Amino acid sequence: GAPHYFVGSMDNGGPYGAPQDALTLWKFNADFGTPANSTFLLTNTLPVAAFDSISPCTPSARTCIPQAGTAQKIDILSYRQRIVHRLAYRNYGTHESLVTNQSVEASTGMAGLRWYELRDPNGTPTIHQQGTYAPGSSDGIHRWMGSVAMDAAGNMALGYSASSPSIYPSVWYTGRLAADPLGTMPQGEGVIVNGTGAQTTTSARWGDYTSMNVDPTDDCTFWYVNQYVPVTSAVGWRLRIGSFKFPSCGAAGALVQRTFVASGGNDANPCSLTAPCRSFLAAINKTSIGGEVIVLDSAGYGPVVINKAVSIVAPPGVYAGVSVFSGTGIVVNPASGKVTLRGLTINALGGSTGIDYQSG
């Protein structure tokens, strides 16, 4: 029942007359019964920390990023003031998040990555956190053409291209844990592939675009796709696909038979009795097949998709509410096995379905 979200950016130092540095949030509501009633509206303009989308590219607007072994530069695409692929949506039960990024000039002549997390997009949208990842200000390596996503635990991964006069275009990544200080990517850099060649085509095109995605089978493994050049050539680029995950996100060995949620919990917690989670989704992701999620105290715990055979139990005297404002409250869809729901209260507040039983 929610609209489809689009996010754009504006730079008051760019060529389009923007009055401020900001993100624009658009909502697309499709009416398939009467297509003419569909709407695509700018609903919010959210000011952000100042950034510069115009890099000092020479001799053309596309020759921007230096490479090892050649004087030919490649494209940064930041001048289009474009949020780049992709705008990634998550519903954590306690909140909804959108994350995305764009290439910027982080310091004089040095490319970096501005990234954002927006929250409550269908209510009162806010910039929950933002940051510019640009170690190049110290090490002289440009980082650009990024893509960002979040796992089930709220950890974030940012993949990108990296290049300099002494480094061939490469595929690297960084990230942050949900508990890290807001606006930071402090988890260090990883390498998916170090390039061994430069791209010499004078068209200078690079990317369009890269993609960071979370594996639906465990909701923890990140898969990243980007390009590199194995041998210096005009058109010899190749794709490399790499995967990684944070140990704190439900590794198989870390799954437990019993997890807990509470009104004062936090989804970055291990969902233990002494450190409960806040949402059913976070607890399910840390619960082994056949295990159970126990509700510790009375609160609303939000809609949830149950994708494995587990039990969710609210003991007698504990109110565990699932308010359905739109769409469906609980989707039951494990690959196999039995799901047990006990003691929950499902409230119809405009939604169409309490429990959608799909499999199991």
Side-chain angles (χ1 to χ4, degrees):
H4 187 74
Y5 303 111
F6 292 77
V7 168
S9 74
M10 60 170 71
D11 173 11
N12 63 6
Y16 305 118
Q20 60 181 322
D21 290 349
L23 297 182
T24 54
L25 177 65
W26 302 71
K27 296 177 182 178
F28 175 47
N29 286 279
D31 187 330
F32 294 103
T34 308
N37 291 339
S38 299
T39 58
F40 184 72
L41 301 173
L42 171 61
T43 58
N44 301 90
T45 300
L46 306 172
V48 299
F51 68 88
D52 184 3
S53 65
I54 307 302
S55 296
C57 304
T58 57
S60 73
R62 290 192 183 277
T63 49
C64 310
I65 304 293
Q67 314 170 79
T70 179
Q72 178 63 46
K73 299 178 182 178
I74 49 181
D75 203 348
I76 186 175
L77 284 178
S78 63
Y79 53 85
R80 293 185 173 182
Q81 298 174 219
R82 179 175 295 169
I83 292 293
V84 293
H85 189 79
R86 60 188 174 89
L87 178 65
Y89 169 85
R90 299 271 343 197
N91 188 337
Y92 288 103
T94 57
H95 66 275
E96 295 171 278
S97 288
L98 297 168
V99 293
T100 191
N101 81 106
Q102 65 186 117
S103 300
V104 297
E105 184 189 16
S107 59
T108 303
M110 183 59 59
L113 298 143
R114 169 63 65 85
W115 58 272
Y116 309 93
E117 180 187 358
L118 288 69
R119 288 196 176 180
D120 196 19
N122 207 28
T124 304
T126 59
I127 306 290
H128 178 66
Q129 59 175 322
Q130 58 185 305
T132 300
Y133 185 72
S137 300
S138 300
D139 64 19
I141 301 171
H142 297 261
R143 294 159 174 89
W144 84 109
M145 196 57 72
S147 184
V148 64
M150 300 175 78
D151 66 17
N155 307 315
M156 194 180 302
L158 174 66
Y160 45 87
S161 295
S163 185
S164 78
S166 59
I167 293 177
Y168 293 114
S170 301
V171 182
W172 296 355
Y173 64 94
T174 188
R176 54 172 281 107
L177 301 178
D180 284 335
L182 293 178
T184 65
M185 289 278 178
Q187 292 300 312
E189 283 188 307
V191 175
I192 291 177
V193 63
N194 283 320
T196 49
Q199 179 173 282
T200 57
T201 175
T202 56
S203 71
R205 296 299 296 274
W206 186 261
D208 294 30
Y209 293 92
T210 80
S211 182
M212 181 73 76
N213 297 272
V214 181
D215 195 318
T217 60
D218 66 0
D219 214 5
C220 289
T221 300
F222 291 97
W223 291 90
Y224 185 55
V225 184
N226 198 347
Q227 74 178 82
Y228 74 109
V229 181
V231 179
T232 296
S233 60
V235 292
W237 59 270
R238 295 289 184 268
L239 289 179
R240 180 59 63 95
I241 304 172
S243 67
F244 57 92
K245 64 181 177 181
F246 294 104
S248 61
C249 184
L255 298 181
V256 295
Q257 192 270 334
R258 184 174 292 112
T259 58
F260 299 86
V261 295
S263 60
N266 187 313
D267 286 348
N269 288 343
C271 301
S272 64
L273 179 61
T274 55
C277 287
R278 182 63 182 87
S279 71
F280 288 146
L281 177 62
I284 289 169
N285 287 329
K286 298 173 185 178
T287 305
S288 59
I289 292 175
E292 56 186 359
V293 177
I294 307 296
V295 182
L296 292 176
D297 64 351
S298 297
Y301 290 94
V304 65
V305 176
I306 303 173
N307 59 8
K308 66 174 72 170
V310 297
S311 298
I312 300 179
V313 179
V318 172
Y319 170 84
V322 177
S323 295
V324 189
F325 293 97
S326 63
T328 300
I330 299 175
V331 176
V332 178
N333 189 29
S336 62
K338 181 171 67 175
V339 169
T340 300
L341 306 177
R342 183 176 298 124
L344 307 183
T345 299
I346 304 177
N347 301 308
L349 297 174
S352 60
T353 306
I355 299 175
D356 178 8
Y357 169 80
Q358 296 183 358
S359 68

